């Protein structure tokens, strides 16, 4: 099923799945089984079962930003973005694992309450089978005696999911322009998820009013933070989509210059700079081109060209003026392009090396 046709029912399916996952450590510990030891299944104290189960619930809820990953354009993406993702001439730009936060807001904001409700239902089932029913006057001890413990857990899980989505939105916003920030925030989400899972068991020993007060405060803070964070990610994604559209216009300009029977096989350019140069390989020549003022079809100038038989290979290197992609030829100077994504540049260079040595592009060999 395509991403933009998914309903909130998908959130429910994932919510049920994550509660089933969290139920395994609870029921194993409740039965006194420790699967992390040898084959004799040396025992574990069943009193630890509630803490393990709740910790697993909060751990997965705190990873919500990554759970819905799918390498397709998020719902609401323009047709140009979708076409770009399927562009056979260039390197496919993979969606970041946090792209879900750019889905329509009802779907994003439904994750917290739906998952929290699933977690509360699972916890009621756990309490029914638990050997340790808790100390009266605590969240776990009064779980079936008062609605306050259930609301405290509901707000806590909801807040954990919102917190994860907030950080995921921040990471997603910087995915293309400041990849280091994306990586740092992504690692931070994983670390905080483990931390939240470890300390979440403390909620069970709190009094219901105190637990509810803490989780409600966390829920308010994380919900308020999620709104601008998601908007920021959507705005940044919209801006980068415009950059992609400008690149597609530049590509169409290049295609309009090709002669009869000439087909574009491969190209590389700095997508973040639509006015920059573009390296291309066709079935008849290798080109270095650049837009001439306005990037409209036909408004592109061929700066350099070479015959495919002259191709010797390609390489990339970091130089003082920027990351440089070089195409090497026999008996003539190299073609060079400064800028662009280093990973995409490496892929382009590898494809040209394959073309130079085997006469085929890598995807043609599969």
């Amino acid at each position: 099923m395509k991403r933009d046709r998914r309903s909130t029912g998908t959130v429910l399916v994932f919510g049920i799945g994550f509660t089933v996952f969290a139920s395994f450590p609870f029921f194993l510990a409740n039965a006194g089984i420790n699967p992390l030891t040898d084959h004799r299944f040396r025992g574990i104290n069943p009193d630890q079962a509630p803490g393990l189960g709740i910790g697993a619930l909060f751990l997965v809820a705190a990873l919500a930003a990554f759970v819905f990953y799918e390498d397709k354009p998020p719902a609401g993406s323009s047709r140009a973005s979708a076409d770009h993702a399927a562009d056979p001439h260039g390197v496919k730009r993979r969606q970041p694992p946090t792209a879900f936060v750019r889905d329509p807001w009802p779907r994003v904001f439904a994750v917290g309450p739906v998952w929290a409700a699933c977690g509360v239902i699972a916890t009621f089932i756990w309490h029914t089978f638990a050997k340790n029913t808790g100390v009266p006057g605590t969240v776990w001890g009064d779980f079936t005696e008062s609605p306050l413990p259930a609301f405290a857990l509901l707000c806590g899980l909801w807040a954990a999911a919102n917190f994860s989505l907030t950080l995921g939105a921040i990471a997603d916003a910087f995915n293309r322009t400041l990849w280091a920030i994306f990586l740092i925030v992504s690692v931070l989400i994983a670390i905080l998820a483990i931390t939240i899972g470890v300390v979440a068991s403390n909620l069970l020993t709190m009094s219901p009013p105190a637990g509810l007060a803490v989780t409600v405060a966390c829920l308010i803070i994380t919900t308020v933070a999620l709104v601008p964070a998601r908007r920021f990610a959507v705005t940044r994604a919209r801006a980068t989509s415009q950059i992609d559209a400008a690149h597609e216009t530049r590509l169409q300009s290049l295609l309009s210059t090709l002669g009869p029977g000439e087909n574009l096989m491969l190209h590389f350019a700095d997508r973040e700079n639509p006015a920059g140069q573009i390296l291309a390989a066709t079935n008849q020549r290798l080109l270095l081109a650049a837009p001439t003022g306005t990037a409209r079809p036909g408004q592109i100038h061929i700066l350099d060209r070479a015959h495919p038989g002259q191709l010797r290979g390609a390489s990339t290197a970091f130089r003082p003026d920027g990351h440089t992609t070089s195409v090497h030829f026999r008996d003539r100077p190299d073609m060079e392009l400064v800028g662009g994504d280093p990973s995409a540049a490496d892929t382009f260079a590898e494809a040209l090396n394959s073309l130079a040595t085997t006469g085929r592009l890598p995807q043609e060999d599969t």
Side-chain angles (χ1 to χ4, degrees), residues 33-363:
I33 298 175
N34 184 2
L36 298 180
T37 59
D38 59 22
H39 65 280
R40 298 178 183 177
F41 295 112
R42 291 160 54 184
I44 189 173
N45 189 345
D47 291 343
Q48 299 175 345
L52 290 174
I54 295 298
L57 282 178
F58 275 86
L59 171 64
V60 181
L63 292 172
F66 296 136
V67 171
F68 297 90
Y69 172 64
E70 182 182 6
D71 188 25
K72 294 181 180 179
S77 295
S78 65
R79 172 53 59 183
S81 297
D83 291 342
H84 159 63
D87 179 8
H89 304 304
V91 178
K92 179 182 176 183
R93 185 180 296 282
R94 298 182 62 85
Q95 289 292 324
T98 52
F100 172 75
V101 299
R102 288 184 267 123
D103 272 30
W105 70 264
R107 190 177 306 161
V108 175
F109 283 83
V111 174
V114 171
W115 282 28
C118 292
V120 170
I121 293 172
T123 306
F124 270 111
I125 297 174
W126 298 351
H127 200 277
T128 302
F129 293 95
K131 294 181 179 179
N132 172 22
T133 56
V135 178
T138 63
V139 169
W140 180 248
D142 292 353
F143 206 82
T144 57
E145 305 296 330
S146 167
L148 291 183
F151 280 113
L153 181 61
L154 179 78
C155 293
L157 289 171
W158 190 343
N162 282 358
F163 181 59
S164 175
L165 292 169
T166 300
L167 291 180
I170 296 172
D172 191 82
F174 293 105
N175 171 60
R176 284 199 33 183
T177 54
L178 293 172
W179 191 81
I181 293 181
F182 169 80
L183 180 61
I184 291 172
V185 177
S186 298
V187 172
L188 183 62
I189 293 174
I191 294 174
L192 290 177
I194 297 173
T195 303
I196 291 172
V198 171
V199 302
S201 59
N202 294 328
L203 176 64
L204 302 181
T205 61
M206 299 175 67
S207 66
L212 182 61
V214 171
T215 55
V216 166
C218 292
L219 176 60
I220 293 174
I221 294 172
T222 55
T223 303
V224 170
L226 178 56
V227 174
R230 179 190 169 276
R231 184 177 299 147
F232 180 50
V234 170
T235 301
R236 297 277 291 194
R238 194 171 292 134
T240 54
S241 294
Q242 293 174 351
I243 293 174
D244 284 342
H247 171 72
E248 293 302 318
T249 302
R250 176 174 51 175
L251 178 59
Q252 291 302 317
S253 300
L254 176 65
L255 291 173
S256 68
T257 66
L258 302 184
E262 187 175 12
N263 300 314
L264 181 63
M265 302 168 60
L266 196 69
H267 78 273
F268 172 71
D270 183 357
R271 289 182 175 271
E272 311 304 323
N273 178 22
Q277 297 177 351
I278 182 169
L279 283 169
T282 75
N283 57 335
Q284 298 180 11
R285 53 183 172 166
L286 290 111
L287 304 171
L288 177 65
T292 56
T294 58
R296 293 182 298 175
Q299 300 297 308
I300 199 166
H301 177 60
I302 305 299
L303 303 176
D304 196 3
R305 70 192 73 197
H307 189 274
Q310 295 177 287
L311 179 64
R312 189 164 53 87
S315 64
T316 62
F318 285 96
R319 296 179 181 174
D321 52 347
H323 189 269
T324 303
T325 304
S326 302
V327 182
H328 311 297
F329 301 96
R330 299 179 181 87
D331 304 322
R332 55 148 293 151
D334 295 344
M335 291 183 189
E336 293 187 341
L337 186 149
V338 179
D341 179 70
S343 177
D346 291 341
T347 302
F348 177 78
E350 291 172 3
L352 284 186
N353 286 329
S354 174
L355 187 65
T357 55
T358 67
R360 301 165 63 93
L361 293 174
Q363 60 268 28

